[in-house]
Amino acid sequence: MSLPDLAPFLDLRRFLSIAHHVPGRIRVKLSITALACLPDVDPAPFVDLTKRIRGVGMTRVNVPALSVVIEYDPVVIPAPLWERLLLGDRAEVERIIAERVV
């Protein structure tokens, strides 16, 4: 299986932060700065990528709150993995995705 194009996600993640996280549920917030820097900002690359990760259940976008809620199986996806997806270098993100994308 080939990896999805990570460039849109990697470009977007500088505007993403973890707003709330308990094992099994995470809320990722899009910075308001993104709207100024990227007038056509689209959370789709992040949402599409997360939906393909083994262990992700529900993904819900809250447009007014500029956030995405992801419910996942914490046995399949260790909680610290989310931080690595947002902060890791390109090679680390590629490795994580290669191991977990369905």
Side-chain angles (χ1 to χ4, degrees):
M1 173 187 323
S2 65
L3 283 178
D5 178 15
L6 294 179
F9 167 70
L10 293 170
D11 290 342
L12 180 64
R13 72 187 183 143
R14 65 187 163 139
F15 298 108
L16 300 174
S17 63
I18 297 172
H20 183 261
H21 189 195
V22 295
R25 185 178 183 278
I26 186 170
R27 184 165 59 96
V28 177
K29 190 106 167 118
L30 178 67
S31 165
I32 194 78
T33 308
L35 300 178
C37 294
L38 304 168
D40 298 325
V41 69
D42 183 4
F46 176 72
V47 174
D48 293 343
L49 183 63
T50 57
K51 284 181 178 180
R52 294 183 58 191
I53 296 174
R54 188 179 310 105
V56 169
M58 186 277 308
T59 302
R60 184 178 73 245
V61 177
N62 184 334
V63 175
L66 297 175
S67 67
V68 177
V69 173
I70 303 160
E71 292 181 5
Y72 66 94
D73 182 343
V75 172
V76 177
I77 304 172
L81 182 97
W82 294 104
E83 188 171 317
R84 298 312 325 141
L85 278 173
L86 295 179
L87 301 174
D89 63 26
R90 182 182 186 93
E92 183 176 19
V93 171
E94 287 175 350
R95 180 186 52 75
I96 290 168
I97 296 303
E99 292 171 354
R100 299 187 184 322
V101 163
V102 291

